[in-house]
Amino acid sequence: MDRTASHSEPRYGNRPTMKDVAARAGVGLKTVSRVVNGEAGVTPDTERRVQEAIEALGFRRNDSARVLRKGRTASIGLVLEDLADPFYGPLNRAVEEVARAHGALLINGSSAEDPEREQELVLALCARRVDGLIVIPAGDDHRYLEPEIAAGVATVFVDRPAGKIDADMVFSDNFGGARDGVAHLIAGGHRRIGFIGDQPRIHTATERLRGYHAAMADGGLEVNDAWVSLGVTEAERVRGAVETLLDGESPVTAIFAGNNRVTVTAVRVLAEREQAVALVGFDDIELADLLGITVIAQDSAALGRTAAETLFRRLDGANDAPAQKVLPTRLIARGSGEIAPA
Amino acid sequence: MDRTASHSEPRYGNRPTMKDVAARAGVGLKTVSRVVNGEAGVTPDTERRVQEAIEALGFRRNDSARVLRKGRTASIGLVLEDLADPFYGPLNRAVEEVARAHGALLINGSSAEDPEREQELVLALCARRVDGLIVIPAGDDHRYLEPEIAAGVATVFVDRPAGKIDADMVFSDNFGGARDGVAHLIAGGHRRIGFIGDQPRIHTATERLRGYHAAMADGGLEVNDAWVSLGVTEAERVRGAVETLLDGESPVTAIFAGNNRVTVTAVRVLAEREQAVALVGFDDIELADLLGITVIAQDSAALGRTAAETLFRRLDGANDAPAQKVLPTRLIARGSGEIAPA
DNA sequence: TTGAAAGCGCTAACAA
DNA sequence: TTGTTAGCGCTTTCAA
């Protein structure tokens, strides 16, 4: 008895349209539109008849058609590195909340740190005519977005700068945060401090490294080249880097970990050793309090919220020159960063 | 010199259309469509002219119009409880990967555990004519989806059952996982085991409680009512519950924590006390290995992947009766669950 | 190989 | 208060 709908082409599984509702209610198409959109100028009686027809038919407005006509999709796109990365969770959610407050839906995707995939995703979103775009860049050349931005797609970059185009951007204070973290170690009496961070092609990594150097310079300390490991983020390599720092010719008494993955591995390695080595990590981690890990925390939700608010300000017509916002980081002392030098 | 486009209505910030491209290339509209969609039957020369016009104008196909005509949006909706919850990160990402493999985009949103908000979100997605829907239910009555499903929106429920409708569902083995966890404690010699879990209106919570009871029964152990705390998930209340379990008239020697939030708080509270109390938690947590927390781990990514695959199977026309899939959990012994009874 | 016409479902503009 | 017409940008159909 189950009749599998097998019609010709369009028709979304055979859904009723406003025209069908109008026919059933015995009114004009536009009257249905008025009722559906809550516009004024419909008598209660007419409205009731239309509502009944809507119920009976199970009508739901087709927003695709609406979008086509109105020119705004009431949706924004968010492209981040990895939806599964806990750092982006609060950012994602914050963006969603702002979007929701503006009646917009959120389409999102992961670039997987791949510039090509980022571009592919961004352009797919543009083809859907999202009203705006929030991008955590994977690539460093965003000129491909120029025509889109010119055509009116508001765009905000978060966490890392846009490449080769002028746009709104929102960052954490990576430089200041790292500087503060390293200064904290110096204030604790450390003079030999290691830095393990991401590849220098990643902007945040460079900024944090700059912060490290600045703090060392401020403290009047020389940096031994052997203390700095870049491009090290994979667990096994971090392990190696930590061991080199501690067992090398010029051992350090403290380590600054340039991101959360590094921090986690460093904690693991240090836990296996006798030595008391101080550690400060960039980015907070769940349960870091229980483990007593001192960190420089970014406010990932604030990053998302600020970006989304900037975006909607643009969509509401703000016309001032693109600007960069830098959000402060916060040092959270929990023990690992307060260990005295050996 | 900056001319702010201030046209009448539609026109997406004044983007070129296929018609514009056609005019510029001196060909017909349909020829442009052919080139844009890579259809056969266009001479290389014509194609080149069209491509040039596309480049020159910065044309990008308007998928809204395409969708309207074709009837499929190549997008799916994912409604979960909280985009910021790390448990859903891998699920979200897994869904995205499957969607991507099928050329679909992912629209998602958080229900914030609010049935009304869930419905609102789901219906908004239906209005956008997503091809399919993956829902982690907040509510327990999904009859509002019946017309949508009838109209052809494929729907899969994950993590918790759909309410009052027949649909595809994918779960973790909450019952079996909890039973295994509690059995593990019993095998370690515990006879007095507490359970702290979520509200019983949440299906997973009920299942896990069932598992607890089953394991206790299997072990020939009576359950003291005072050992079971339900609806306790907020940190302060969990703290209270743990304290009651340990300091009450009938103190327990082990605790089974019904979800990750409970586990985290329990670990905190136990860390502050002298007593050695065994703990097994449902759901894995980042850094749990460092803290030596024994858990029952769900495979959140597998949940997402399975749900998405089920969804696309439906979209590809699978017509068999809705089915439920249960994915196994895994006990990961790390120390806290292997503490002997006092 | 190419293109003209019709129409997807809706809203804007205007008319009744 | 209500309805009619046109058209958003695209794909489909069918004819050239």
Side-chain angles (χ1 to χ4, degrees), chain B residues 57 60 69 113 121 177 238 247 282:
Chain B
L57 263 36
R60 181 160 329 276
R69 187 63 241 232
E113 225 25 294
L121 204 50
V238 172
D247 304 330
F282 208 109

Side-chain angles (χ1 to χ4, degrees), chain B residues 22-295:
Chain B
R24 167 132 189 169
V27 300
L29 179 58
K30 177 62 203 182
T31 300
V32 176
S33 173
R34 286 195 179 96
V35 172
V36 168
N37 296 300
E39 286 169 30
V42 182
T43 49
D45 182 60
T46 312
E47 171 158 7
R48 192 184 42 70
R49 285 203 341 268
V50 172
Q51 284 293 9
E52 278 171 14
I54 288 175
E55 299 277 313
L57 263 36
F59 169 81
R60 181 160 329 276
R61 181 181 68 197
N62 184 334
D63 278 353
S64 291
R66 173 166 225 251
V67 153
L68 179 60
R69 187 63 241 232
K70 298 202 73 138
R72 275 218 172 175
T73 56
S75 58
I76 66 172
L78 170 61
V79 177
L80 35 74
E81 186 205 322
D82 181 358
L83 282 170
D85 185 332
F87 175 72
Y88 295 116
L91 187 153
N92 200 346
R93 176 68 193 270
V95 170
E96 187 208 358
E97 290 300 332
V98 177
R100 184 175 135 86
H102 288 260
L105 283 178
L106 179 63
I107 307 183
N108 55 25
S110 307
S111 68
E113 225 25 294
D114 172 358
E116 257 181 66
R117 184 160 157 180
E118 172 205 299
Q119 176 169 349
E120 194 181 289
L121 204 50
V122 163
L123 293 181
L125 292 167
C126 290
R128 300 285 170 119
R129 296 296 189 266
V130 291
D131 298 331
L133 220 36
I134 296 178
V135 180
I136 295 171
D140 54 5
D141 185 349
H142 295 90
R143 283 174 296 184
Y144 70 85
L145 260 168
E146 267 170 355
E148 311 299 329
I149 291 174
V153 182
T155 307
V156 179
F157 292 81
V158 188
D159 195 42
R160 306 169 197 172
K164 304 181 180 172
I165 64 171
D166 189 26
D168 288 313
M169 308 184 202
V170 180
F171 310 117
S172 278
D173 185 6
N174 291 290
F175 169 77
R179 192 192 48 200
D180 293 352
V182 175
H184 182 72
L185 290 167
I186 294 172
H190 294 273
R191 325 245 69 107
R192 316 170 63 79
I193 303 172
F195 179 97
I196 306 178
D198 238 315
Q199 313 164 41
R201 67 165 191 79
I202 298 179
H203 179 257
T204 53
T206 314
E207 283 296 294
R208 293 171 195 176
L209 180 60
R210 268 209 319 123
Y212 164 80
H213 280 295
M216 293 297 274
D218 287 351
L221 303 173
E222 290 276 327
V223 173
N224 185 323
D225 283 351
W227 294 347
V228 175
S229 293
L230 300 181
V232 173
T233 160
E234 187 202 326
E236 261 326 295
R237 297 197 53 206
V238 172
R239 173 175 293 276
V242 172
E243 282 162 358
T244 306
L245 281 175
L246 298 179
D247 304 330
E249 290 191 1
S250 182
V252 303
T253 63
I255 296 176
F256 188 84
N259 67 38
N260 48 6
R261 282 163 301 175
V262 172
T263 306
V264 169
T265 311
V267 170
R268 289 213 170 96
V269 177
L270 293 179
E272 296 163 8
R273 304 178 63 116
E274 302 287 293
Q275 269 163 294
V277 177
L279 176 73
V280 174
F282 208 109
D283 283 341
D284 202 2
I285 316 177
E286 198 174 14
L287 296 195
D289 58 333
L290 275 175
L291 287 161
I293 309 174
T294 296
V295 299

Side-chain angles (χ1 to χ4, degrees), chain A residues 128-141:
Chain A
R128 300 287 168 117
R129 297 297 189 264
V130 292
D131 297 332
L133 220 37
I134 295 178
V135 180
I136 295 172
D140 54 6
D141 185 348

Side-chain angles (χ1 to χ4, degrees), chain A residues 17 63 120 180 207 216-217 266 304 314 332 339:
Chain A
T17 70
D63 279 355
E120 195 182 288
D180 293 353
E207 285 294 296
M216 293 297 273
R314 292 285 175 210
I332 308 178
I339 294 174

Side-chain angles (χ1 to χ4, degrees), chain A residues 15 82 93 96 110 148, chain B residues 15 82 93 96 110 148:
Chain A
R15 282 169 161 280
D82 183 358
R93 176 71 193 268
E96 187 207 359
S110 306
E148 311 299 328
Chain B
R15 280 168 161 283
D82 181 358
R93 176 68 193 270
E96 187 208 358
S110 307
E148 311 299 329

